[in-house]
Amino acid sequence: MAPSAIEQQIPIEKATIKSWSRPAPTNEKLDWAPLVEIDLSRFDEPGGKEDLAKQLYDAVTRVGFWVVVGHGLDDERILRQFSIGNAFFKENLEEKRSFECNFAEGEYFGYRENSRWIGETGVKDNIEMLNIPKAIPEWDDVPKHRIVRQNYDEIASFHRDLFDKVVRKLFVLMAIILELPEDHLVQAHAYDKRSDDHLRYMIYNTRTQEEWDKAQGYTKGGHTDFGSLTLLFSQNVAGFLKSTIHRVVTPPRDQIDIPRLGLLYFCRPGDDTVMRTVPSPLLERLGLLTEEDKSQSKPAPTGTEYVRARVRDVHHKTVIDRRENTSFEFKGLKVPNYYK
């Protein structure tokens, strides 16, 4: 969809973005899981990548979550992105609906409204989100909301730096773990090639404790994301050598009345990536490659085809259905949807 003539020709006065600050930490004693810290400031040191890959091995194969530090993105810049996202969610509904996700086609760019019902609970989904594609020529015609247009250079620069400073380096470490050429996974997710990568502003609107109880009882399983790597700011970074099962839980009692604002980056395999098992010597030694995997001859969808099929399967509906112990299959690829 091309921008309208009005959008192309009439400049819009840039609105002031009110600074957003992180809420105070909870005072409740929670059961925190210890996570590996990957210090990317060591990446370019002699032997640094190899040492970091050793540290990452357990996290990516067993846990699926880890924390990235030393990435070079200062906190002021990160908070600025939270502020832009917060400003978007305060826009009127008409503006937010001006460009909505096209779930019928499995497309996730644009605004997702919190309009779906959660099974038969009588409770609605409380998540709103805005997904912004990477700034490449292939996505120039994707519509942009007012706040995105006004701050696009800043958003696009942040988007690119996330890939270069974090995602690219993590893919190199994963390739080392899998004993592949260092650029193997980077090339499969090349930033300048067409894919459904996106920066996401997301907000969990408040619920009563009773509403949380009903919703959690219905969606007690969990889910895996649709792409290859998810960055979650101010919380954890999740990776997908082990596809990480995760879910949102009821906030602590002293934070239940605070909307939870999220900033995320989703990296997804694209048009030029065929969804086959990588030819990893490590996987072969572990007996995880079939003869079909080794031949690389089995027909398979592209990354974009597969991701959009999963998006369509999950999101093109008005009611969130119960999905524990089910799986999704597309052109020979199969993945569990939700877990108990």
Side-chain angles (χ1 to χ4, degrees), residues 189-261:
H189 300 83
Y191 190 89
D192 295 316
K193 297 292 184 66
R194 188 178 183 273
S195 71
D196 283 356
D197 287 31
H198 56 271
L199 181 72
R200 175 177 297 176
Y201 304 136
M202 180 166 67
I203 193 166
Y204 288 89
N205 295 296
T206 57
R207 285 172 168 158
T208 65
Q209 184 65 56
E210 181 183 8
E211 289 171 331
W212 272 109
D213 291 344
K214 290 179 179 178
Q216 294 280 275
Y218 195 86
T219 58
K220 64 182 179 180
H223 66 274
T224 59
D225 289 344
F226 303 152
S228 302
L229 190 65
T230 301
L231 308 184
L232 175 59
F233 279 85
S234 295
Q235 297 181 52
N236 307 311
V237 177
F240 291 91
L241 287 196
K242 173 180 171 60
S243 191
T244 311
I245 305 165
H246 57 282
R247 68 187 180 104
V248 176
V249 297
T250 306
R253 285 169 294 183
D254 58 355
Q255 294 182 336
I256 200 167
D257 294 324
I258 302 173
R260 282 190 282 180
L261 189 66

Side-chain angles (χ1 to χ4, degrees), residues 297-309:
S297 60
K298 181 181 178 181
T302 68
T304 300
E305 289 175 333
Y306 183 69
V307 165
R308 291 192 175 188

Side-chain angles (χ1 to χ4, degrees), residues 314-332:
V314 172
H315 293 295
H316 186 43
K317 54 193 65 177
T318 57
V319 177
I320 300 173
D321 50 355
R322 195 181 290 276
R323 303 174 72 83
E324 288 90 353
N325 293 330
T326 66
S327 62
F328 168 74
E329 187 167 352
F330 179 72
K331 292 188 177 181

Side-chain angles (χ1 to χ4, degrees), residues 17 79-91 130 147 155 200-203 261-263:
I17 302 293
L79 287 173
R80 170 68 178 173
Q81 290 300 311
F82 274 104
S83 299
I84 293 171
N86 192 49
F88 170 77
F89 293 119
K90 294 184 183 303
E91 292 277 83
L130 174 63
I147 282 177
I155 293 169
R200 175 177 297 176
Y201 304 136
M202 180 166 67
I203 193 166
L261 189 66
L263 175 65

